[in-house]
Amino acid sequence: MSDTLMVIKQLDVSFQTREGLVQAVDGATLELKHGRIFGLIGETGSGKSVLGLSLVRLLPAHASVSGSLLYKGKDLLQLSPKEMRQIRGREIALIPQNPASSLNPVMTLGSQLREAIRAYAGRTGSKRLNAQAAGLLHAMNMPDAEQQLRRYPFQLSGGMKQRVLAAMGLAGSPSLLIADEPTKGLDALIRVQVTEMLANMARRTGAALLLITHDLDVARVLCDEVGVMYAGQIIEQGPAKELFAQPMHPYTRGLIASMPSRGMIPIAGTAPSLTDRPAGCKFYDRCGSAMPRCEAEQPDLYKSAHTEITNKETEPIDGTAKGQQAAAKHKARCFLYA
Amino acid sequence: MLEIIELHKRYRSNWLTGRGHQAVEPATFHIAEGESLGLVGESGSGKSTLARLLLKLISADGGRILYKGTDISGYSLKQMRPLRRELQIMFQHPHSALNPRRTLLDSLLEPVLLHRIMNKAAAREKALALLDVVGIRAELLPRYPHQISGGQIQRIVIARALMLEPKFLVLDEPTSMLDVSVQAQVTQLLQRIRKEFGLTYLFISHDLELVRHMCDRIGVMKEGRIVELDESERIMERPQHPYTKQLVNAFQAFKQ
Ligand SMILES: Nc1ncnc2c1ncn2[C@@H]1O[C@H](COP(=O)(O)OP(=O)(O)OP(=O)(O)O)[C@@H](O)[C@H]1O
Ligand SMILES: Nc1ncnc2c1ncn2[C@@H]1O[C@H](COP(=O)(O)OP(=O)(O)OP(=O)(O)O)[C@@H](O)[C@H]1O
Ligand code: SF4
Ligand SMILES: [Mg+2]
Ligand SMILES: [Mg+2]
């Protein structure tokens, strides 16, 4: 059996708006594997959440989506809304980015959690439902889990709401979980706990996890593979440790240098408009290494030179296709590596 | 600039939620003019509540708030009105801070038009200048909040708070939805504005490294109490309270 759960190929998402066509995701290609955590990091507004939402087909009606989303061999984009509802939540769950608009303000947490559990587990007695709901909150380290069930979202702190969302995402024991910023707003201790829980979920149940995050430390520690998004494109992709230790793309390098622990040196300038993206490299006007061809030509994803070297080095020892495959994965959309 | 004496708050119980909840135990501290005070700690420990209390956005059960030497604890809504502009807050969840049925432009202009500070044309001009500073393209302005990304919303909210040229600004996790590069830009921007206009900040965040960069002193909260308040370097390098130690360790654990 292959360990691949979902193959996303050449995914394009655009929105028709008054100011023109917004190209939010452009040619995204990646694989999600059983028991593996794929991290999606990058610029705000680069299309991470839109990519995540497109996997559960929760984009607004004015979005146009093309490409293929092969999940267990089926293309999700070809499924009827009814077939998609069978999969959403049960098999593929989403922890949305925004707790404020994702929780119903006039329903208690208990009823929202019970509803989430019922949607996947079918009919169960109310006592059991309550116990399960409290259990989920408890697993998130919510103090007084039973008490919380009777409260409304406005009575919770920001980090508590965040944990309720995570609990709802986990309610159906999905085989693919898309977690959009699950650790934002959590204190350092709970951040560790939630991170461990997500890792456990992947390792123990074999679920695949797509983790969208701005927390680069969490991405480095938790993920097997990481993709970096900029202006709708995945501009770098590779094994997490290697990507952070040897970032290839000038954007990724700039991003890492912007971390508070690395001195917080921001990348100058702002991202291009998504309605009028540059023809060539999307990072061209902010890039310190730009060359003439970068302006007009669109770079492909190129392998890192470093990868070739380690490849050759490990070949005799390792000798397997697996070693090569793992090493060959690090690539960036930049002419420096062409 | 602000002196807080024994300020406390209990959220009342109601028939549904059972017992009440002591969100903030009597807190006493001060914030000096031009200072940036950080507030970190346990999620649910009362940081946002404390921030709202000292801006009088919710009523305290007791204690006093001195703003520039004047006791404003007993001020009525009407007495507070002229101070509202000077004391601003950027809420934790930017989505809920913007009206979903109004365009971003309307949301940006609303506070200045409400306070009748300038006419619409001048307000528009100012908004455009601020958008440039926070790195948002003017083409986004006709959109509604659900049509832009989380980070874009957060930058709009920052620009909106700055429209009023406040003196004291509470920043409740202002960069939690931004990528680290934009976070660094926004942080530099906030620091620059603080120096230029002599602003005072209360900066709430879970990112200890960021708070250390931004703040002169840091207060640490747990279960409604400020368990430790000291210079940023001291909190990070030589934490005293056991909870602070735990928190700093857990934060550093990810660095390896
Ligand atoms: N419904 C919509 N209509 C038009 N444009 C949209 C819509 N939703 C998102 N966009 C645009 O698509 C782009 C990608 O948005 P997305 O929310 O995926 O960004 P993101 O990478 O998740 O950013 P963040 O890190 O800030 O959450 C943004 O520029 C946003 O303005
Ligand atoms: N309107 C309310 N009614 C009842 N309880 C509330 C209300 N608002 C907050 N609380 C409770 O008061 C406590 C403190 O909440 P607060 O939002 O101040 O925490 P916080 O320190 O800002 O947390 P976070 O870091 O998660 O944002 C929490 O236990 C919360 O559940
Ligand atoms: S392709 Fe050119 S402009 Fe783009 S990141 Fe690489 S060097 Fe810079
Ligand atoms: Mg997002
Ligand atoms: Mg808060």
Side-chain angles (χ1 to χ4, degrees):
Chain A
M1 199 191 83
S2 109
D3 60 353
T4 300
L5 181 65
M6 188 171 199
V7 182
I8 299 157
K9 256 197 206 130
Q10 290 298 328
L11 180 72
D12 284 337
V13 183
S14 56
F15 299 99
Q16 190 61 59
T17 66
R18 263 189 280 169
E19 322 87 68
L21 196 68
V22 173
Q23 183 80 48
V25 178
D26 173 8
T29 296
L30 59 111
E31 263 184 57
L32 301 172
K33 300 190 176 113
H34 285 288
R36 293 302 192 106
I37 305 178
F38 190 104
L40 210 47
I41 62 172
E43 190 227 342
T44 66
S46 61
K48 302 181 297 298
S49 297
V50 168
L51 195 159
L53 287 169
S54 69
L55 304 191
V56 276
R57 300 225 338 234
L58 281 178
L59 288 169
H62 69 291
S64 68
V65 185
S66 67
S68 66
L69 302 174
L70 286 178
Y71 172 75
K72 295 186 178 166
K74 278 179 295 207
D75 188 350
L76 295 185
L77 293 179
Q78 307 303 328
L79 297 186
S80 69
K82 193 174 158 221
E83 289 168 314
M84 194 59 217
R85 268 197 301 277
Q86 294 290 320
I87 289 185
R88 191 186 303 132
R90 234 173 272 225
E91 293 196 36
I92 308 181
L94 171 78
I95 301 177
Q97 178 170 13
N98 169 24
S101 62
S102 308
L103 292 171
N104 186 334
V106 297
M107 271 167 79
T108 63
L109 302 185
S111 19
Q112 299 189 52
L113 276 163
R114 282 192 298 269
E115 196 170 271
I117 299 169
R118 222 180 281 126
Y120 321 128
R123 284 173 189 282
T124 4
S126 66
K127 264 230 174 82
R128 262 193 63 193
L129 269 180
N130 256 333
Q132 280 182 4
L136 282 169
L137 288 187
H138 194 73
M140 291 289 154
N141 285 293
M142 283 279 270
D144 307 322
E146 272 93 25
Q147 284 274 342
Q148 306 287 1
L149 293 178
R150 284 182 283 165
R151 304 179 93 188
Y152 291 89
F154 79 91
Q155 296 173 314
L156 301 190
S157 79
M160 290 165 135
K161 279 187 231 162
Q162 184 63 50
R163 279 175 278 166
V164 173
L165 280 191
M168 286 170 66
L170 291 173
S173 323
S175 22
L176 169 60
L177 178 66
I178 301 151
D180 201 344
E181 306 251 18
T183 58
K184 75 163 174 315
L186 302 182
D187 68 56
L189 288 155
I190 296 170
R191 171 169 165 251
V192 172
Q193 289 158 357
V194 169
T195 310
E196 276 170 2
M197 205 175 52
L198 291 173
N200 273 339
M201 191 200 77
R203 312 283 182 242
R204 233 189 284 131
T205 68
L209 177 61
L210 179 67
L211 175 77
I212 302 174
T213 187
H214 286 307
D215 190 330
L216 302 190
D217 286 320
V218 164
R220 195 193 66 241
V221 171
L222 196 60
C223 297
D224 301 296
E225 206 180 327
V226 167
V228 187
M229 284 192 78
Y230 186 79
Q233 296 179 328
I234 296 183
I235 50 95
E236 179 163 355
Q237 194 169 326
K241 304 271 163 343
E242 184 180 323
L243 189 140
F244 284 105
Q246 275 130 346
M248 293 168 66
H249 199 283
Y251 172 72
T252 314
R253 285 190 230 143
L255 194 66
I256 291 172
S258 307
M259 293 170 71
S261 55
R262 305 284 178 101
M264 284 228 277
I265 304 147
I267 305 166
T270 50
S273 150
L274 293 182
T275 51
D276 185 21
R277 295 188 313 159
C281 173
K282 309 296 171 258
F283 192 58
Y284 174 74
D285 58 352
R286 303 173 76 183
C287 181
S289 320
M291 303 165 275
R293 71 183 291 200
C294 307
E295 186 173 8
E297 275 179 69
Q298 159 82 31
D300 273 335
L301 277 166
Y302 305 102
K303 278 188 240 158
S304 93
H306 170 261
T307 302
E308 313 271 34
I309 298 164
T310 45
N311 225 353
K312 285 198 194 86
E313 277 171 356
T314 54
E315 220 164 6
I317 313 161
D318 191 313
T320 62
K322 198 169 170 246
Q324 274 181 30
Q325 195 193 7
K329 271 191 307 193
H330 194 185
K331 46 197 175 179
R333 202 176 277 286
C334 168
F335 284 125
L336 291 174
Y337 307 92
Chain B
M1 172 165 244
L2 270 168
E3 216 172 322
I4 311 301
I5 304 154
E6 298 276 312
L7 197 63
H8 56 102
K9 171 80 180 174
R10 182 179 186 82
Y11 285 113
R12 300 266 163 271
S13 59
N14 59 37
W15 61 277
L16 257 179
T17 55
R19 59 199 161 91
H21 180 85
Q22 187 74 35
V24 176
E25 304 279 352
T28 300
F29 62 99
H30 73 275
I31 308 175
E33 179 144 20
E35 181 186 31
S36 171
L37 177 69
L39 206 51
V40 304
E42 197 184 27
S43 165
S45 60
K47 302 180 296 297
S48 300
T49 303
L50 180 57
R52 274 165 220 233
L53 281 177
L54 52 91
L55 294 187
K56 286 178 62 72
L57 292 173
I58 51 176
S59 59
D61 296 339
R64 294 197 298 150
I65 310 164
L66 305 185
Y67 177 59
K68 294 182 173 163
T70 314
D71 190 340
I72 59 167
S73 331
Y75 271 30
S76 65
L77 276 180
K78 200 172 156 214
Q79 283 173 301
M80 275 308 286
R81 208 167 294 149
L83 291 182
R84 275 279 159 255
R85 213 188 130 183
E86 296 182 17
L87 308 171
Q88 288 285 317
I89 181 165
M90 254 191 64
F91 289 113
Q92 187 166 359
H93 286 295
H95 286 86
S96 43
L98 295 179
N99 184 336
R101 275 189 283 277
R102 304 191 69 165
T103 65
L104 302 175
L105 179 65
D106 286 341
S107 287
L108 258 179
L109 301 187
E110 183 194 84
V112 273
L113 297 180
L114 211 71
H115 280 85
R116 300 214 189 92
I117 295 161
M118 49 182 89
N119 66 29
K120 198 158 178 181
R124 224 190 121 91
E125 201 164 304
K126 177 159 191 157
L128 289 178
L130 278 171
L131 284 184
D132 211 33
V133 187
V134 296
I136 287 281
R137 286 169 192 276
E139 67 187 40
L140 292 187
L141 289 181
R143 290 206 204 164
Y144 292 88
H146 71 274
Q147 297 176 318
I148 63 173
S149 83
Q152 288 164 335
I153 289 195
Q154 206 146 13
R155 285 187 268 175
I156 295 275
V157 174
I158 292 176
R160 191 172 71 152
L162 295 176
M163 287 287 287
L164 287 169
E165 298 175 5
K167 301 254 188 303
F168 175 69
L169 191 54
V170 173
L171 299 153
D172 197 349
E173 303 191 31
T175 60
S176 63
M177 310 244 280
L178 304 176
D179 70 60
V180 285
S181 174
V182 175
Q183 166 174 283
Q185 283 181 341
V186 167
T187 316
Q188 279 186 355
L189 161 77
L190 289 171
Q191 292 289 50
R192 204 177 72 222
I193 300 171
R194 177 159 78 96
K195 296 214 176 83
E196 248 167 62
F197 302 100
L199 283 186
T200 306
Y201 291 158
L202 180 67
F203 188 88
I204 304 175
S205 173
H206 289 294
D207 187 334
L208 302 185
E209 201 73 58
L210 177 66
V211 179
R212 171 201 243 167
H213 263 273
M214 276 292 286
C215 303
D216 312 299
R217 293 187 301 151
I218 300 177
V220 184
M221 282 189 81
K222 178 172 170 54
E223 290 169 7
R225 278 194 187 82
I226 300 179
V227 295
E228 188 166 355
L229 200 164
D230 210 334
E231 273 151 33
S232 304
E233 288 308 308
R234 288 258 283 272
I235 293 280
M236 293 296 288
E237 300 301 334
R238 271 167 292 140
Q240 299 299 312
H241 192 277
Y243 177 71
T244 315
K245 285 183 192 165
Q246 261 187 324
L247 196 69
V248 172
N249 283 341
F251 187 76
Q252 304 293 11
F254 274 97
K255 293 263 127 48
Q256 274 104 61

